Amino acid sequence: MPRKLKILLAVLGTIVLMVLGNMFLRFHLPPVTVRAEPLPGFVIGSVRITNSLITALLVDIILVVLAVLATRRMQLVPSGLQNFMEFLVETLYNLTHSIAGSKWTPRFFAIVATIFFYVLFSNWFGLLPGLAAVGFCESHAEVAALHQPTIWDRVHERTIARLAAPLPAKEGEKDSHGAYVYWGCQPGEIIVPLFRSPSTDLSSNLALALISVGMTQVFGVMALGARYFTKFFNISGVLRAFRPDASGQRRGCAGMLGTFLFGCIEFFVSILEAVTEVAKLLSFSFRLFGNIFAGEVMLLVLASLMPLVLTLPFIGLELFVGLIQAFIFYVLTLAFFTIATVTHESQGTHSG
Amino acid sequence: MDALRPLGIDPALLAAYLINFVLLLFLLRLFLYKPVLTMLEERRRKIQEALAQADKVRQEAELQRAEFQRELEEARRSSQEAANRIAQETEKMRASILEAAQREAELIKAQARQQIELERQQVASELQRQVADLAIEIARKVIGQTVTLDEKVQRQLIRQFLQETGNFS
């Protein structure tokens, strides 16, 4: 078959798929919520288990099963899954080693590698096609009551719901609540997905960020002892103004003032360091959340506009984004760990 | 914390995720990192050992080769030496044989010469005797008479004469 004919057939097939998809596979955008949805019936005590927590457990299981399968019968000459997992772990280990050095790599590695694998699999799990369509039907009113509409819900109703609104409602008429009827659900019910990527749940991301920032402090103290905390409350510069200078002479009035001002700047910078530590929690969790959540919403919106073909390149893009975000989380955590284990005097500032 | 609830941040869920992460950390450590890193280390060690072993074997082979080379050189030299020595000995033997032969030849020649000398002297003395006889005979014939002199004195005279005129020998 000549090459040109092949290309022509591929283009024709694509067009046919697009048309058929738009004719038969149309669906309405399900409500998109910033929060992970609690699943009906999954309640422990007063805590309603969310679909993202279920997914997190599933990701755990997938990772552990992969690990066990790969390392069950370790062979000196590796093959198959063992080879692949060894390649991953070794690559990650070497990268960690090149950043953290020989002394700290054994202590950092398990944490940062687990962060990488967990985030990566979470990100990619959310890209499984059709994930949003698998779930429980729940009455819209109940879901709404559960959610207690907030500013976020209103925002997404105005934006995303409007994006979805112009679609012709062929198979799903609006019910009395003004919501669309979803396939397999009774009128007045919407789908609560069974699975949701943990990366699109701020609880999960914040937990990771807490681990990352918390362990940074732990490693800092392990490396430097109590001295580590002078980084966040550095008054040594201010005190220096009232001590004799390096040559042992008392400072003059101008010298004292200058040293005092520099000390104040150092103190201010150290307070900023403390603030940065809290800001890290936010940046870690919101960066991951924003990227992955936005990607999934975009895929949903695109799929609701054109069910087939259109999402394909974007799934590739989101796979890449998922990898990059996992890598960013890993590298930043590793970098913060490494920075924390280095004395801030030795970073090239004028030491007191 | 209530302000965070709309964002999906719930203390109980947060705790659940934290526990989940720690659990995952330990499981992966147990089932993935530890075995894989141990295996990598072991493989590294094995390869290193094998390389060292190969290096050692190569060195040994090198050493052995040098040894062989040396032995070969030695053998070559010793055989060369032996050949030289044999050649020398042969030469010497040849010379000695030649010398002996020459000496023998010389001896034989000397003997022959002696013999000849002896014979010549015999011949000479014989000749002398015959010449004396002849002289006496001639003298007798010439003189025609018997020499009055005693035979013995005559011979004495001739001998004297011969000795004065010259020696044949």
Side-chain angles (χ1 to χ4, degrees), chain B:
Chain B
M1 221 49 189
D2 271 357
L4 294 175
R5 216 175 280 269
L7 289 176
I9 298 174
D10 183 315
L13 286 175
L14 201 60
Y17 278 117
L18 281 175
I19 294 167
N20 176 54
F21 181 82
V22 173
L23 198 73
L24 182 65
L25 177 70
F26 278 105
L27 284 176
L28 283 187
R29 203 181 147 94
L30 183 65
F31 289 121
L32 188 62
Y33 309 141
K34 222 172 237 177
V36 166
L37 290 178
T38 315
M39 176 53 72
L40 289 178
E41 183 57 32
E42 192 184 325
R43 191 173 300 141
R44 204 181 60 79
R45 202 171 46 75
K46 278 258 166 71
I47 289 173
Q48 217 163 32
E49 261 171 29
L51 283 181
Q53 184 73 20
D55 216 36
K56 216 174 73 182
V57 166
R58 210 175 43 110
Q59 261 173 9
E60 261 168 25
E62 194 66 30
L63 226 64
Q64 208 136 28
R65 208 181 64 86
E67 176 84 0
F68 282 154
Q69 192 75 27
R70 211 165 51 75
E71 266 168 27
L72 192 68
E73 208 63 40
E74 183 115 351
R76 198 172 285 160
R77 215 185 49 235
S78 74
S79 71
Q80 188 67 38
E81 253 170 32
N84 282 352
R85 209 178 52 236
I86 286 167
Q88 258 172 12
E89 263 166 30
T90 313
E91 182 63 25
K92 219 185 285 175
M93 208 180 281
R94 196 181 70 89
S96 75
I97 287 170
L98 211 61
E99 202 186 8
Q102 217 138 24
R103 231 182 2 247
E104 202 161 342
E106 213 58 52
L107 199 69
I108 289 169
K109 223 155 67 177
Q111 273 175 353
R113 202 169 284 141
Q114 239 172 358
Q115 187 77 21
I116 289 165
E117 186 63 19
L118 208 67
E119 272 174 23
R120 202 181 56 84
Q121 276 173 3
Q122 269 174 4
V123 168
S125 63
E126 181 72 14
L127 202 62
Q128 224 165 22
R129 207 169 41 80
Q130 279 181 7
V131 166
D133 282 352
L134 274 174
I136 290 167
E137 199 67 26
I138 290 166
R140 192 177 286 153
K141 287 256 177 80
V142 167
I143 294 164
Q145 63 185 43
T146 316
V147 180
T148 53
L149 286 175
D150 187 16
E151 179 101 18
K152 247 186 195 157
V153 178
Q154 280 179 19
R155 279 196 189 275
Q156 190 64 37
L157 279 174
I158 289 166
R159 187 151 299 154
Q160 243 169 6
F161 168 75
L162 280 176
Q163 263 167 4
E164 277 161 15
T165 52
N167 208 340
F168 289 101
S169 65

Side-chain angles (χ1 to χ4, degrees), chain A residues 242-264:
Chain A
F242 303 105
R243 290 209 205 99
D245 61 10
S247 57
Q249 290 175 331
R250 283 193 69 232
R251 290 169 202 274
C253 199
M256 193 184 275
L257 188 66
T259 318
F260 182 76
L261 281 178
F262 263 112
C264 283

